[in-house]
Amino acid sequence: MTNPQTAVDGDEATAWTAGPDGRMVVDLGAAQRISEIRAQWRGSRIPASQMEWVSR
């Protein structure tokens, strides 16, 4: 897995690559209102994906 910060650094020249289990967990530190999630994939193969909300 590459550095997770590259997934959200705003630089299109960097990218995050998943580890063997292909999972990313994001801890926002506190309750946040989220209205949209966008994923941008490089290359021709777009993997299946899903989003899961966990409230604590």
Side-chain angles (χ1 to χ4, degrees), residues 6-43:
T6 60
V8 295
D9 66 1
D11 184 349
E12 291 186 13
T14 62
W16 170 76
T17 303
D21 64 359
R23 176 180 158 175
M24 175 186 273
V25 176
V26 178
D27 181 352
L28 301 175
Q32 303 288 326
R33 181 180 175 91
I34 299 173
S35 60
E36 180 180 33
I37 297 174
R38 287 187 276 167
Q40 183 176 1
W41 302 103
R42 291 185 179 181

PDB file of all heavy atoms in Angstrom, residues 6-43:
ATOM      1  N   THR A   6      -1.749  10.497  -0.134  1.00  0.00           N
ATOM      2  CA  THR A   6      -1.777  10.830  -1.555  1.00  0.00           C
ATOM      3  C   THR A   6      -3.172  10.674  -2.164  1.00  0.00           C
ATOM      4  O   THR A   6      -3.411  11.150  -3.261  1.00  0.00           O
ATOM      5  CB  THR A   6      -0.769   9.978  -2.354  1.00  0.00           C
ATOM      6  OG1 THR A   6      -1.096   8.599  -2.209  1.00  0.00           O
ATOM      7  CG2 THR A   6       0.659  10.226  -1.891  1.00  0.00           C
ATOM      8  N   ALA A   7      -4.088  10.048  -1.439  1.00  0.00           N
ATOM      9  CA  ALA A   7      -5.467   9.917  -1.929  1.00  0.00           C
ATOM     10  C   ALA A   7      -6.244  11.219  -1.784  1.00  0.00           C
ATOM     11  O   ALA A   7      -7.215  11.443  -2.491  1.00  0.00           O
ATOM     12  CB  ALA A   7      -6.194   8.800  -1.181  1.00  0.00           C
ATOM     13  N   VAL A   8      -5.808  12.068  -0.877  1.00  0.00           N
ATOM     14  CA  VAL A   8      -6.574  13.283  -0.576  1.00  0.00           C
ATOM     15  C   VAL A   8      -5.706  14.542  -0.579  1.00  0.00           C
ATOM     16  O   VAL A   8      -6.082  15.550   0.014  1.00  0.00           O
ATOM     17  CB  VAL A   8      -7.302  13.144   0.780  1.00  0.00           C
ATOM     18  CG1 VAL A   8      -8.359  12.059   0.731  1.00  0.00           C
ATOM     19  CG2 VAL A   8      -6.306  12.866   1.897  1.00  0.00           C
ATOM     20  N   ASP A   9      -4.573  14.512  -1.252  1.00  0.00           N
ATOM     21  CA  ASP A   9      -3.684  15.679  -1.231  1.00  0.00           C
ATOM     22  C   ASP A   9      -4.016  16.723  -2.291  1.00  0.00           C
ATOM     23  O   ASP A   9      -3.381  17.769  -2.356  1.00  0.00           O
ATOM     24  CB  ASP A   9      -2.224  15.242  -1.343  1.00  0.00           C
ATOM     25  CG  ASP A   9      -1.876  14.597  -2.672  1.00  0.00           C
ATOM     26  OD1 ASP A   9      -2.749  14.497  -3.546  1.00  0.00           O
ATOM     27  OD2 ASP A   9      -0.708  14.180  -2.825  1.00  0.00           O
ATOM     28  N   GLY A  10      -5.014  16.457  -3.143  1.00  0.00           N
ATOM     29  CA  GLY A  10      -5.418  17.424  -4.162  1.00  0.00           C
ATOM     30  C   GLY A  10      -4.494  17.477  -5.368  1.00  0.00           C
ATOM     31  O   GLY A  10      -4.713  18.266  -6.278  1.00  0.00           O
ATOM     32  N   ASP A  11      -3.480  16.651  -5.407  1.00  0.00           N
ATOM     33  CA  ASP A  11      -2.526  16.634  -6.512  1.00  0.00           C
ATOM     34  C   ASP A  11      -2.842  15.467  -7.438  1.00  0.00           C
ATOM     35  O   ASP A  11      -2.717  14.307  -7.054  1.00  0.00           O
ATOM     36  CB  ASP A  11      -1.110  16.505  -5.949  1.00  0.00           C
ATOM     37  CG  ASP A  11      -0.029  16.582  -7.007  1.00  0.00           C
ATOM     38  OD1 ASP A  11      -0.343  16.522  -8.219  1.00  0.00           O
ATOM     39  OD2 ASP A  11       1.151  16.689  -6.628  1.00  0.00           O
ATOM     40  N   GLU A  12      -3.252  15.763  -8.678  1.00  0.00           N
ATOM     41  CA  GLU A  12      -3.596  14.692  -9.622  1.00  0.00           C
ATOM     42  C   GLU A  12      -2.382  13.890 -10.076  1.00  0.00           C
ATOM     43  O   GLU A  12      -2.521  12.834 -10.676  1.00  0.00           O
ATOM     44  CB  GLU A  12      -4.338  15.273 -10.822  1.00  0.00           C
ATOM     45  CG  GLU A  12      -5.720  15.770 -10.457  1.00  0.00           C
ATOM     46  CD  GLU A  12      -6.532  16.206 -11.657  1.00  0.00           C
ATOM     47  OE1 GLU A  12      -6.136  15.899 -12.800  1.00  0.00           O
ATOM     48  OE2 GLU A  12      -7.566  16.845 -11.450  1.00  0.00           O
ATOM     49  N   ALA A  13      -1.182  14.364  -9.778  1.00  0.00           N
ATOM     50  CA  ALA A  13       0.033  13.643 -10.151  1.00  0.00           C
ATOM     51  C   ALA A  13       0.381  12.548  -9.145  1.00  0.00           C
ATOM     52  O   ALA A  13       1.247  11.721  -9.407  1.00  0.00           O
ATOM     53  CB  ALA A  13       1.204  14.611 -10.286  1.00  0.00           C
ATOM     54  N   THR A  14      -0.273  12.552  -7.973  1.00  0.00           N
ATOM     55  CA  THR A  14      -0.028  11.505  -6.983  1.00  0.00           C
ATOM     56  C   THR A  14      -1.245  10.590  -6.912  1.00  0.00           C
ATOM     57  O   THR A  14      -2.343  10.964  -7.319  1.00  0.00           O
ATOM     58  CB  THR A  14       0.240  12.093  -5.585  1.00  0.00           C
ATOM     59  OG1 THR A  14      -0.915  12.808  -5.147  1.00  0.00           O
ATOM     60  CG2 THR A  14       1.439  13.021  -5.594  1.00  0.00           C
ATOM     61  N   ALA A  15      -1.046   9.405  -6.393  1.00  0.00           N
ATOM     62  CA  ALA A  15      -2.149   8.450  -6.283  1.00  0.00           C
ATOM     63  C   ALA A  15      -1.904   7.527  -5.101  1.00  0.00           C
ATOM     64  O   ALA A  15      -0.771   7.288  -4.701  1.00  0.00           O
ATOM     65  CB  ALA A  15      -2.269   7.625  -7.556  1.00  0.00           C
ATOM     66  N   TRP A  16      -2.999   7.011  -4.569  1.00  0.00           N
ATOM     67  CA  TRP A  16      -2.924   6.005  -3.512  1.00  0.00           C
ATOM     68  C   TRP A  16      -3.163   4.655  -4.155  1.00  0.00           C
ATOM     69  O   TRP A  16      -4.055   4.492  -4.986  1.00  0.00           O
ATOM     70  CB  TRP A  16      -3.993   6.276  -2.455  1.00  0.00           C
ATOM     71  CG  TRP A  16      -4.154   5.170  -1.464  1.00  0.00           C
ATOM     72  CD1 TRP A  16      -3.328   4.888  -0.423  1.00  0.00           C
ATOM     73  CD2 TRP A  16      -5.196   4.207  -1.416  1.00  0.00           C
ATOM     74  NE1 TRP A  16      -3.794   3.801   0.277  1.00  0.00           N
ATOM     75  CE2 TRP A  16      -4.956   3.356  -0.328  1.00  0.00           C
ATOM     76  CE3 TRP A  16      -6.314   3.961  -2.198  1.00  0.00           C
ATOM     77  CZ2 TRP A  16      -5.784   2.307   0.013  1.00  0.00           C
ATOM     78  CZ3 TRP A  16      -7.146   2.903  -1.861  1.00  0.00           C
ATOM     79  CH2 TRP A  16      -6.865   2.093  -0.771  1.00  0.00           C
ATOM     80  N   THR A  17      -2.366   3.683  -3.808  1.00  0.00           N
ATOM     81  CA  THR A  17      -2.519   2.319  -4.305  1.00  0.00           C
ATOM     82  C   THR A  17      -2.873   1.420  -3.136  1.00  0.00           C
ATOM     83  O   THR A  17      -2.175   1.431  -2.115  1.00  0.00           O
ATOM     84  CB  THR A  17      -1.218   1.827  -4.965  1.00  0.00           C
ATOM     85  OG1 THR A  17      -0.878   2.739  -6.012  1.00  0.00           O
ATOM     86  CG2 THR A  17      -1.393   0.434  -5.542  1.00  0.00           C
ATOM     87  N   ALA A  18      -3.946   0.673  -3.312  1.00  0.00           N
ATOM     88  CA  ALA A  18      -4.436  -0.202  -2.240  1.00  0.00           C
ATOM     89  C   ALA A  18      -3.452  -1.314  -1.933  1.00  0.00           C
ATOM     90  O   ALA A  18      -2.691  -1.742  -2.793  1.00  0.00           O
ATOM     91  CB  ALA A  18      -5.768  -0.812  -2.652  1.00  0.00           C
ATOM     92  N   GLY A  19      -3.524  -1.790  -0.690  1.00  0.00           N
ATOM     93  CA  GLY A  19      -2.754  -2.952  -0.284  1.00  0.00           C
ATOM     94  C   GLY A  19      -3.478  -4.218  -0.721  1.00  0.00           C
ATOM     95  O   GLY A  19      -4.443  -4.173  -1.487  1.00  0.00           O
ATOM     96  N   PRO A  20      -3.055  -5.384  -0.226  1.00  0.00           N
ATOM     97  CA  PRO A  20      -3.633  -6.662  -0.643  1.00  0.00           C
ATOM     98  C   PRO A  20      -5.143  -6.782  -0.422  1.00  0.00           C
ATOM     99  O   PRO A  20      -5.828  -7.419  -1.216  1.00  0.00           O
ATOM    100  CB  PRO A  20      -2.891  -7.692   0.208  1.00  0.00           C
ATOM    101  CG  PRO A  20      -1.646  -7.013   0.658  1.00  0.00           C
ATOM    102  CD  PRO A  20      -1.956  -5.554   0.712  1.00  0.00           C
ATOM    103  N   ASP A  21      -5.678  -6.158   0.633  1.00  0.00           N
ATOM    104  CA  ASP A  21      -7.120  -6.285   0.874  1.00  0.00           C
ATOM    105  C   ASP A  21      -7.926  -5.189   0.181  1.00  0.00           C
ATOM    106  O   ASP A  21      -9.154  -5.196   0.212  1.00  0.00           O
ATOM    107  CB  ASP A  21      -7.443  -6.347   2.364  1.00  0.00           C
ATOM    108  CG  ASP A  21      -7.073  -5.068   3.113  1.00  0.00           C
ATOM    109  OD1 ASP A  21      -6.550  -4.122   2.488  1.00  0.00           O
ATOM    110  OD2 ASP A  21      -7.306  -5.016   4.325  1.00  0.00           O
ATOM    111  N   GLY A  22      -7.250  -4.219  -0.459  1.00  0.00           N
ATOM    112  CA  GLY A  22      -7.915  -3.196  -1.246  1.00  0.00           C
ATOM    113  C   GLY A  22      -8.875  -2.308  -0.479  1.00  0.00           C
ATOM    114  O   GLY A  22      -9.909  -1.916  -0.987  1.00  0.00           O
ATOM    115  N   ARG A  23      -8.551  -1.954   0.724  1.00  0.00           N
ATOM    116  CA  ARG A  23      -9.483  -1.239   1.591  1.00  0.00           C
ATOM    117  C   ARG A  23      -8.883   0.082   2.062  1.00  0.00           C
ATOM    118  O   ARG A  23      -7.712   0.161   2.392  1.00  0.00           O
ATOM    119  CB  ARG A  23      -9.782  -2.132   2.786  1.00  0.00           C
ATOM    120  CG  ARG A  23     -10.640  -1.531   3.818  1.00  0.00           C
ATOM    121  CD  ARG A  23     -10.840  -2.530   4.922  1.00  0.00           C
ATOM    122  NE  ARG A  23     -11.220  -1.812   6.125  1.00  0.00           N
ATOM    123  CZ  ARG A  23     -11.558  -2.373   7.237  1.00  0.00           C
ATOM    124  NH1 ARG A  23     -11.539  -3.677   7.338  1.00  0.00           N
ATOM    125  NH2 ARG A  23     -11.901  -1.665   8.275  1.00  0.00           N
ATOM    126  N   MET A  24      -9.720   1.115   2.093  1.00  0.00           N
ATOM    127  CA  MET A  24      -9.312   2.389   2.667  1.00  0.00           C
ATOM    128  C   MET A  24     -10.325   2.771   3.739  1.00  0.00           C
ATOM    129  O   MET A  24     -11.524   2.745   3.498  1.00  0.00           O
ATOM    130  CB  MET A  24      -9.266   3.501   1.635  1.00  0.00           C
ATOM    131  CG  MET A  24      -8.951   4.859   2.249  1.00  0.00           C
ATOM    132  SD  MET A  24      -9.049   6.233   1.107  1.00  0.00           S
ATOM    133  CE  MET A  24      -7.404   6.188   0.462  1.00  0.00           C
ATOM    134  N   VAL A  25      -9.839   3.102   4.921  1.00  0.00           N
ATOM    135  CA  VAL A  25     -10.688   3.554   6.015  1.00  0.00           C
ATOM    136  C   VAL A  25     -10.303   4.992   6.309  1.00  0.00           C
ATOM    137  O   VAL A  25      -9.125   5.307   6.447  1.00  0.00           O
ATOM    138  CB  VAL A  25     -10.489   2.681   7.277  1.00  0.00           C
ATOM    139  CG1 VAL A  25     -11.299   3.212   8.434  1.00  0.00           C
ATOM    140  CG2 VAL A  25     -10.844   1.238   6.965  1.00  0.00           C
ATOM    141  N   VAL A  26     -11.293   5.872   6.385  1.00  0.00           N
ATOM    142  CA  VAL A  26     -11.040   7.285   6.640  1.00  0.00           C
ATOM    143  C   VAL A  26     -11.672   7.669   7.974  1.00  0.00           C
ATOM    144  O   VAL A  26     -12.861   7.471   8.175  1.00  0.00           O
ATOM    145  CB  VAL A  26     -11.630   8.159   5.506  1.00  0.00           C
ATOM    146  CG1 VAL A  26     -11.405   9.619   5.788  1.00  0.00           C
ATOM    147  CG2 VAL A  26     -11.027   7.759   4.167  1.00  0.00           C
ATOM    148  N   ASP A  27     -10.874   8.215   8.874  1.00  0.00           N
ATOM    149  CA  ASP A  27     -11.364   8.711  10.152  1.00  0.00           C
ATOM    150  C   ASP A  27     -11.372  10.229  10.065  1.00  0.00           C
ATOM    151  O   ASP A  27     -10.315  10.863   9.981  1.00  0.00           O
ATOM    152  CB  ASP A  27     -10.463   8.242  11.287  1.00  0.00           C
ATOM    153  CG  ASP A  27     -10.936   8.708  12.657  1.00  0.00           C
ATOM    154  OD1 ASP A  27     -11.888   9.522  12.739  1.00  0.00           O
ATOM    155  OD2 ASP A  27     -10.344   8.263  13.649  1.00  0.00           O
ATOM    156  N   LEU A  28     -12.541  10.837  10.066  1.00  0.00           N
ATOM    157  CA  LEU A  28     -12.658  12.287   9.943  1.00  0.00           C
ATOM    158  C   LEU A  28     -12.476  13.008  11.272  1.00  0.00           C
ATOM    159  O   LEU A  28     -12.519  14.220  11.324  1.00  0.00           O
ATOM    160  CB  LEU A  28     -14.009  12.648   9.322  1.00  0.00           C
ATOM    161  CG  LEU A  28     -14.241  12.048   7.935  1.00  0.00           C
ATOM    162  CD1 LEU A  28     -15.644  12.371   7.462  1.00  0.00           C
ATOM    163  CD2 LEU A  28     -13.204  12.531   6.945  1.00  0.00           C
ATOM    164  N   GLY A  29     -12.299  12.257  12.352  1.00  0.00           N
ATOM    165  CA  GLY A  29     -12.013  12.840  13.642  1.00  0.00           C
ATOM    166  C   GLY A  29     -13.232  13.318  14.413  1.00  0.00           C
ATOM    167  O   GLY A  29     -13.184  13.447  15.622  1.00  0.00           O
ATOM    168  N   ALA A  30     -14.297  13.622  13.731  1.00  0.00           N
ATOM    169  CA  ALA A  30     -15.535  14.086  14.356  1.00  0.00           C
ATOM    170  C   ALA A  30     -16.654  13.943  13.336  1.00  0.00           C
ATOM    171  O   ALA A  30     -16.398  13.724  12.149  1.00  0.00           O
ATOM    172  CB  ALA A  30     -15.408  15.535  14.793  1.00  0.00           C
ATOM    173  N   ALA A  31     -17.882  14.066  13.785  1.00  0.00           N
ATOM    174  CA  ALA A  31     -19.023  13.970  12.861  1.00  0.00           C
ATOM    175  C   ALA A  31     -18.906  15.047  11.785  1.00  0.00           C
ATOM    176  O   ALA A  31     -18.590  16.198  12.075  1.00  0.00           O
ATOM    177  CB  ALA A  31     -20.330  14.129  13.622  1.00  0.00           C
ATOM    178  N   GLN A  32     -19.091  14.659  10.536  1.00  0.00           N
ATOM    179  CA  GLN A  32     -19.019  15.570   9.399  1.00  0.00           C
ATOM    180  C   GLN A  32     -20.203  15.311   8.482  1.00  0.00           C
ATOM    181  O   GLN A  32     -20.635  14.175   8.328  1.00  0.00           O
ATOM    182  CB  GLN A  32     -17.733  15.339   8.589  1.00  0.00           C
ATOM    183  CG  GLN A  32     -16.460  15.468   9.354  1.00  0.00           C
ATOM    184  CD  GLN A  32     -16.132  16.903   9.709  1.00  0.00           C
ATOM    185  OE1 GLN A  32     -16.424  17.821   8.963  1.00  0.00           O
ATOM    186  NE2 GLN A  32     -15.543  17.092  10.870  1.00  0.00           N
ATOM    187  N   ARG A  33     -20.709  16.340   7.851  1.00  0.00           N
ATOM    188  CA  ARG A  33     -21.758  16.178   6.845  1.00  0.00           C
ATOM    189  C   ARG A  33     -21.068  15.938   5.502  1.00  0.00           C
ATOM    190  O   ARG A  33     -20.265  16.762   5.064  1.00  0.00           O
ATOM    191  CB  ARG A  33     -22.639  17.413   6.773  1.00  0.00           C
ATOM    192  CG  ARG A  33     -23.734  17.273   5.763  1.00  0.00           C
ATOM    193  CD  ARG A  33     -24.594  18.542   5.743  1.00  0.00           C
ATOM    194  NE  ARG A  33     -25.561  18.467   4.698  1.00  0.00           N
ATOM    195  CZ  ARG A  33     -26.781  17.981   4.839  1.00  0.00           C
ATOM    196  NH1 ARG A  33     -27.173  17.528   6.011  1.00  0.00           N
ATOM    197  NH2 ARG A  33     -27.610  17.939   3.828  1.00  0.00           N
ATOM    198  N   ILE A  34     -21.356  14.807   4.885  1.00  0.00           N
ATOM    199  CA  ILE A  34     -20.755  14.460   3.595  1.00  0.00           C
ATOM    200  C   ILE A  34     -21.867  14.360   2.574  1.00  0.00           C
ATOM    201  O   ILE A  34     -22.819  13.607   2.748  1.00  0.00           O
ATOM    202  CB  ILE A  34     -19.984  13.124   3.687  1.00  0.00           C
ATOM    203  CG1 ILE A  34     -18.862  13.274   4.704  1.00  0.00           C
ATOM    204  CG2 ILE A  34     -19.452  12.713   2.324  1.00  0.00           C
ATOM    205  CD1 ILE A  34     -18.132  12.007   5.003  1.00  0.00           C
ATOM    206  N   SER A  35     -21.755  15.121   1.503  1.00  0.00           N
ATOM    207  CA  SER A  35     -22.801  15.109   0.482  1.00  0.00           C
ATOM    208  C   SER A  35     -22.356  14.414  -0.793  1.00  0.00           C
ATOM    209  O   SER A  35     -23.184  14.088  -1.635  1.00  0.00           O
ATOM    210  CB  SER A  35     -23.256  16.537   0.164  1.00  0.00           C
ATOM    211  OG  SER A  35     -22.166  17.292  -0.305  1.00  0.00           O
ATOM    212  N   GLU A  36     -21.065  14.172  -0.940  1.00  0.00           N
ATOM    213  CA  GLU A  36     -20.590  13.547  -2.173  1.00  0.00           C
ATOM    214  C   GLU A  36     -19.248  12.878  -1.933  1.00  0.00           C
ATOM    215  O   GLU A  36     -18.400  13.400  -1.202  1.00  0.00           O
ATOM    216  CB  GLU A  36     -20.436  14.622  -3.252  1.00  0.00           C
ATOM    217  CG  GLU A  36     -19.951  14.109  -4.567  1.00  0.00           C
ATOM    218  CD  GLU A  36     -19.819  15.206  -5.602  1.00  0.00           C
ATOM    219  OE1 GLU A  36     -19.493  16.365  -5.235  1.00  0.00           O
ATOM    220  OE2 GLU A  36     -20.049  14.918  -6.770  1.00  0.00           O
ATOM    221  N   ILE A  37     -19.065  11.722  -2.549  1.00  0.00           N
ATOM    222  CA  ILE A  37     -17.777  11.033  -2.562  1.00  0.00           C
ATOM    223  C   ILE A  37     -17.458  10.744  -4.015  1.00  0.00           C
ATOM    224  O   ILE A  37     -18.275  10.183  -4.741  1.00  0.00           O
ATOM    225  CB  ILE A  37     -17.820   9.720  -1.765  1.00  0.00           C
ATOM    226  CG1 ILE A  37     -18.103  10.022  -0.295  1.00  0.00           C
ATOM    227  CG2 ILE A  37     -16.520   8.943  -1.928  1.00  0.00           C
ATOM    228  CD1 ILE A  37     -18.317   8.793   0.549  1.00  0.00           C
ATOM    229  N   ARG A  38     -16.280  11.152  -4.464  1.00  0.00           N
ATOM    230  CA  ARG A  38     -15.873  10.897  -5.838  1.00  0.00           C
ATOM    231  C   ARG A  38     -14.573  10.101  -5.853  1.00  0.00           C
ATOM    232  O   ARG A  38     -13.638  10.437  -5.133  1.00  0.00           O
ATOM    233  CB  ARG A  38     -15.653  12.212  -6.592  1.00  0.00           C
ATOM    234  CG  ARG A  38     -16.940  12.906  -6.928  1.00  0.00           C
ATOM    235  CD  ARG A  38     -16.683  14.088  -7.802  1.00  0.00           C
ATOM    236  NE  ARG A  38     -16.317  15.219  -6.937  1.00  0.00           N
ATOM    237  CZ  ARG A  38     -15.786  16.334  -7.375  1.00  0.00           C
ATOM    238  NH1 ARG A  38     -15.513  16.481  -8.647  1.00  0.00           N
ATOM    239  NH2 ARG A  38     -15.512  17.313  -6.540  1.00  0.00           N
ATOM    240  N   ALA A  39     -14.534   9.085  -6.672  1.00  0.00           N
ATOM    241  CA  ALA A  39     -13.311   8.296  -6.859  1.00  0.00           C
ATOM    242  C   ALA A  39     -12.837   8.478  -8.295  1.00  0.00           C
ATOM    243  O   ALA A  39     -13.635   8.507  -9.227  1.00  0.00           O
ATOM    244  CB  ALA A  39     -13.582   6.824  -6.586  1.00  0.00           C
ATOM    245  N   GLN A  40     -11.544   8.639  -8.449  1.00  0.00           N
ATOM    246  CA  GLN A  40     -10.964   8.793  -9.772  1.00  0.00           C
ATOM    247  C   GLN A  40      -9.907   7.705  -9.934  1.00  0.00           C
ATOM    248  O   GLN A  40      -8.971   7.624  -9.142  1.00  0.00           O
ATOM    249  CB  GLN A  40     -10.326  10.174  -9.909  1.00  0.00           C
ATOM    250  CG  GLN A  40      -9.756  10.440 -11.266  1.00  0.00           C
ATOM    251  CD  GLN A  40      -9.228  11.878 -11.367  1.00  0.00           C
ATOM    252  OE1 GLN A  40      -9.272  12.649 -10.420  1.00  0.00           O
ATOM    253  NE2 GLN A  40      -8.731  12.223 -12.516  1.00  0.00           N
ATOM    254  N   TRP A  41     -10.078   6.853 -10.955  1.00  0.00           N
ATOM    255  CA  TRP A  41      -9.180   5.731 -11.165  1.00  0.00           C
ATOM    256  C   TRP A  41      -8.253   6.000 -12.328  1.00  0.00           C
ATOM    257  O   TRP A  41      -8.633   6.624 -13.309  1.00  0.00           O
ATOM    258  CB  TRP A  41      -9.975   4.452 -11.439  1.00  0.00           C
ATOM    259  CG  TRP A  41     -10.907   4.117 -10.332  1.00  0.00           C
ATOM    260  CD1 TRP A  41     -12.252   4.314 -10.311  1.00  0.00           C
ATOM    261  CD2 TRP A  41     -10.580   3.555  -9.063  1.00  0.00           C
ATOM    262  NE1 TRP A  41     -12.774   3.917  -9.113  1.00  0.00           N
ATOM    263  CE2 TRP A  41     -11.785   3.443  -8.327  1.00  0.00           C
ATOM    264  CE3 TRP A  41      -9.390   3.138  -8.479  1.00  0.00           C
ATOM    265  CZ2 TRP A  41     -11.815   2.921  -7.037  1.00  0.00           C
ATOM    266  CZ3 TRP A  41      -9.431   2.623  -7.194  1.00  0.00           C
ATOM    267  CH2 TRP A  41     -10.637   2.516  -6.499  1.00  0.00           C
ATOM    268  N   ARG A  42      -7.044   5.515 -12.223  1.00  0.00           N
ATOM    269  CA  ARG A  42      -6.083   5.592 -13.323  1.00  0.00           C
ATOM    270  C   ARG A  42      -6.079   4.257 -14.049  1.00  0.00           C
ATOM    271  O   ARG A  42      -6.336   3.223 -13.459  1.00  0.00           O
ATOM    272  CB  ARG A  42      -4.681   5.855 -12.796  1.00  0.00           C
ATOM    273  CG  ARG A  42      -4.530   7.219 -12.223  1.00  0.00           C
ATOM    274  CD  ARG A  42      -3.097   7.431 -11.840  1.00  0.00           C
ATOM    275  NE  ARG A  42      -2.935   8.769 -11.301  1.00  0.00           N
ATOM    276  CZ  ARG A  42      -1.786   9.240 -10.901  1.00  0.00           C
ATOM    277  NH1 ARG A  42      -0.712   8.496 -10.962  1.00  0.00           N
ATOM    278  NH2 ARG A  42      -1.705  10.452 -10.423  1.00  0.00           N
ATOM    279  N   GLY A  43      -5.745   4.289 -15.323  1.00  0.00           N
ATOM    280  CA  GLY A  43      -5.661   3.063 -16.101  1.00  0.00           C
ATOM    281  C   GLY A  43      -7.013   2.652 -16.656  1.00  0.00           C
ATOM    282  O   GLY A  43      -8.025   3.313 -16.444  1.00  0.00           O
TER     283      GLY A  43
END
